[in-house]
Amino acid sequence: MKALVTGSNGFLGAAVVERLLAHGFAAPRCLVRPGSDRSRLDAIAAAHPDQPIEIVTGKLSSPRDCEPLIDGVDVLFHVAAGTAGGAADMFLSSVVASKNLLEVMPTSTKVVLVSSFGVYGVADLPKGAVIDESTPVDPQPHKRDIYSHSKHRQEQLFFDHAERRGIALTTLRPGVIYGPGGGGAMSSRVGLRMPGVFLYLGGDNILPLSYVDNCAEALVVAGKSDQAWGQIYNVHDDDLVSARDFLAAYEEQVQPLRKLPVPYPLLLLGSHLVERYHDYSRGQLPAIFTPYKTKTMWKSHRFSNAKLKSLGWKQLVSTEEGMRRALAYHRSKL
């Protein structure tokens, strides 16, 4: 089975390549953009001299560019997405690039799409509600952050295409992917760094953590399973911790923080005030907090990965070990 991994030199993409080799995929095709850092893939190639990987340089900027990349591919692991920059950049990388790829993809090619927990419509759910695959998607994605909005649109693009052309599609929605080399040390679900202070917003909320190797394993297990096609799966680890526990581990293993705890009721009230002043000032004060964003991010919910486990997925790295590795990495970067 020939696999193509987009975003293969990224944090999650490189882990997917590793897991493909572990599952016996022969010479997975690894797409990298021109001029991008190939160090993760070079390290994988050096660590697996008897299991070659096919590294190809290319772009998803037009259907014509996509044709040679998808040629001969049985299963596409679509990991590439816009994660930084303005709205135009994110939608270009996540939505437009996906549309170009879909236009030339044969109906015989199966797709494993990496989406996000951010597509769920949780703002109006009660505290303590369980978020699983039956939870509706957000009816107002434009009120959330740009990344969640772009993933929402990307999902809909793939769903429409699968229905219209009959391709086999599996959608995985990871929670908070973390690990060594994974960007920021602290999820915004825990809090936000402000000048001189860390706003601790998560309280005792459970974090839907997914260690990068565990998340990559979920993608490959889904890509190998016939029962996964046409399905959606939440991706997070089994032994989840609270925002309070994660922050305590960070302060113990990385560095202490000057933090300001903000209880949820106070945060919600402040969000209303910020939104009102944003409207009154005609945008002079950025609407960093809005009631809608606050309800989607910091209202306490619970999470279920039971459907993913029914595929045979098992957590490779415990949360305790995953946090130890991730925090050790971030301590080394201070």
Side-chain angles (χ1 to χ4, degrees), residues 40-333:
R40 287 189 173 106
L41 293 178
D42 291 339
I44 292 173
H48 301 274
D50 298 329
Q51 293 179 282
I53 61 176
E54 179 189 357
I55 302 177
V56 296
T57 301
K59 299 183 292 183
L60 305 179
S61 54
S62 73
R64 183 183 227 175
D65 291 329
C66 296
E67 281 186 295
L69 304 174
I70 200 69
D71 182 50
V73 169
D74 299 301
V75 56
L76 163 67
F77 293 88
H78 192 36
V79 184
T83 58
D89 293 328
M90 285 202 189
F91 274 78
L92 185 66
S93 298
S94 294
V95 182
V96 177
S98 296
K99 183 176 183 295
N100 294 334
L101 191 57
L102 286 170
E103 284 190 15
V104 297
M105 193 177 70
T107 56
S108 59
T109 301
K110 300 177 179 179
V111 180
V112 178
L113 173 65
V114 179
S115 185
S116 168
F117 258 37
V119 304
Y120 282 123
V122 299
D124 295 327
L125 296 181
K127 293 183 70 172
V130 176
I131 310 303
D132 62 17
E133 293 81 1
S134 67
T135 303
V137 296
D138 200 324
Q140 302 181 82
H142 59 282
K143 288 189 173 183
R144 300 187 64 149
D145 58 279
I146 299 171
Y147 175 76
S148 296
H149 189 189
S150 67
K151 296 303 285 186
H152 186 285
R153 290 286 299 275
Q154 184 190 47
E155 260 200 19
Q156 195 57 56
L157 176 70
F158 273 87
F159 291 159
D160 292 345
H161 190 85
E163 182 177 357
R164 187 173 68 253
R165 298 191 61 208
I167 65 170
L169 171 67
T170 300
T171 305
L172 285 91
R173 294 170 173 166
V176 178
I177 307 174
Y178 77 108
M186 199 83 71
S187 165
S188 57
R189 288 178 179 267
V190 179
L192 300 175
R193 291 183 183 272
M194 305 297 283
V197 67
F198 179 79
L199 294 182
Y200 168 40
L201 309 173
D204 288 318
N205 296 353
I206 298 299
L207 301 178
L209 297 177
S210 181
Y211 188 73
V212 62
D213 292 350
N214 300 333
C215 186
E217 174 75 358
L219 268 66
V220 178
V221 167
K224 292 176 62 179
S225 172
D226 289 338
Q227 77 180 72
W229 304 117
Q231 300 296 315
I232 297 170
Y233 296 93
N234 282 357
V235 181
H236 62 74
D237 294 340
D238 292 330
D239 43 340
L240 300 180
V241 300
S242 69
R244 187 180 305 278
D245 291 337
F246 193 95
L247 180 59
Y250 179 91
E251 292 197 289
E252 178 182 352
Q253 299 178 42
V254 182
Q255 64 176 347
L257 296 174
R258 183 185 178 191
K259 55 186 180 291
L260 176 63
V262 183
Y264 179 77
L266 183 59
L267 176 61
L268 190 58
L269 174 61
S271 300
H272 280 284
L273 297 176
V274 169
E275 186 176 58
R276 287 183 183 180
Y277 192 78
H278 171 79
D279 294 339
Y280 173 78
S281 67
R282 298 182 180 180
Q284 291 184 26
L285 177 68
I288 299 174
F289 299 103
T290 67
Y292 200 83
K293 291 179 182 178
T294 295
K295 290 175 183 178
T296 58
M297 184 64 70
W298 295 293
K299 187 192 292 184
S300 176
H301 295 121
R302 293 178 293 147
F303 311 95
S304 172
N305 65 355
K307 187 175 179 181
L308 176 65
K309 292 169 72 173
S310 72
L311 283 181
W313 172 86
K314 295 181 180 179
Q315 184 170 337
L316 301 177
V317 179
S318 71
T319 300
E320 180 181 6
E321 175 62 16
M323 288 174 57
R324 186 195 66 76
R325 294 180 189 178
L327 296 176
Y329 168 82
H330 290 294
R331 182 175 63 248
S332 73
K333 296 299 180 181

